[in-house]
Amino acid sequence: MQEVSSFNQQVAQWLRPDTLTGAIAYLALFCVIASLLSRALGAGIRTALRHPKHQHIDPTVMNFMRQLGVLVIWIFVLTLYAHLIPPLRALGTALLAGASVASIVIGLAAQGTLGNLVAGISILFYRPFRLGDVLQISTPTGPEVGTVVMLSLGYTILSTQDERRVIVPNSVAISQVVVNLNTLGTANTLTLNFWASRSELLQARGVALDFARQLGAEVLGCFVTKSEVAAAQVSLMLRASQTPLPVEGGAGLAQRLSDALQSGGIHTPPGKAGPTLA
């Protein structure tokens, strides 16, 4: 009994937090705990993603949240370890104070980046638009229409019809009014694009709307999709109300719109093509 009691006392002495062996043993224990919690978090997220109710959640978001959760777990566990070991208590307090100051400095210096990050998480969670959606947004050079080709935590990238890339910070994409044109699309929908000078823009839009009414089509939109200094591109989106639109004869329909614009005194600006079927 005395030998067992002596051995227990020796083990307890080894496991004291203020000894080297105790500090190493507790470090190993806390690392195992942090690793198990991280694995449990990852397993829980993977299980949640496989559930039918959560199929709409983007895996990119969940992967980011998993990494953030793992980081929080390790910081929390190591902070507890530093407070448990007497020689590290003062160091842990100093590190926490330094981290608080550093976080304030970094937050002030990276407001835009952090704003894009938070906005990106909101976009990926709430899904106001998705990959492949056609969006109309406002840019410093005027309205632009493009297809969403990439969604990241920082930026949304659109591809326009003329193969340009419009890079939109997520903080901008979530704070402005964005028109999702995909909600207007059906199998019997077509879009005619035409150019008009700025001085004739309102008149040209009126002529285009009259042309659509004469066709007996429902007008889904007639809006500026590209703006330049002296001219603007207008998109006339139509859907058949009763009889099918002549989609097969789109070139002929574009020519009919061109004739209607010329009859209304609207001329195509120099260097621009006439009406085309999108």
Side-chain angles (χ1 to χ4, degrees), residues 1 7 28 52 55 74 89 94 124 137 155 175 184 203 228:
M1 291 294 294
F7 176 77
Q55 292 296 319
W74 278 94
R89 287 177 186 172
L124 293 173
I137 64 171
Y155 298 91
S175 62
L184 304 176
Q203 183 182 355
E228 295 184 356

Side-chain angles (χ1 to χ4, degrees), residues 44-185:
I45 290 176
R46 287 191 294 270
T47 302
L49 285 176
R50 288 194 293 265
H51 197 282
K53 293 183 178 179
H54 301 150
Q55 292 296 319
H56 66 284
I57 299 179
D58 196 296
T60 304
V61 180
M62 300 310 294
N63 184 55
F64 172 78
M65 298 305 293
R66 180 187 64 80
Q67 295 178 8
L68 183 61
V70 169
L71 178 62
V72 171
I73 288 173
W74 278 94
I75 290 177
F76 179 74
V77 170
L78 292 178
T79 301
L80 288 180
Y81 172 76
H83 279 275
L84 178 67
I85 307 301
L88 296 179
R89 287 177 186 172
L91 178 61
T93 303
L95 287 176
L96 286 177
S100 300
V101 175
S103 63
I104 294 174
V105 173
I106 294 174
L108 292 175
Q111 289 183 21
T113 302
L114 293 177
N116 288 337
L117 180 63
V118 174
I121 295 173
S122 300
I123 289 175
L124 293 173
F125 263 116
Y126 295 112
R127 309 301 294 273
F129 47 81
R130 304 185 180 192
L131 288 175
D133 283 2
V134 181
L135 307 181
Q136 180 184 9
I137 64 171
S138 297
T139 69
T141 57
E144 291 279 0
V145 173
T147 303
V148 180
V149 295
M150 180 177 177
L151 280 172
S152 68
L153 292 174
Y155 298 91
T156 297
I157 300 179
L158 309 180
S159 176
T160 63
Q161 290 182 350
D162 53 358
E163 298 183 353
R164 290 177 295 114
R165 288 289 187 268
V166 180
I167 302 174
V168 185
N170 285 334
S171 58
V172 175
I174 203 171
S175 62
Q176 69 169 253
V177 177
V178 177
V179 181
N180 192 333
L181 301 180
N182 275 26
T183 59
L184 304 176

Side-chain angles (χ1 to χ4, degrees), residues 239-250:
R239 180 168 58 200
S241 55
Q242 294 179 351
T243 58
L245 289 170
V247 178
E248 297 82 2

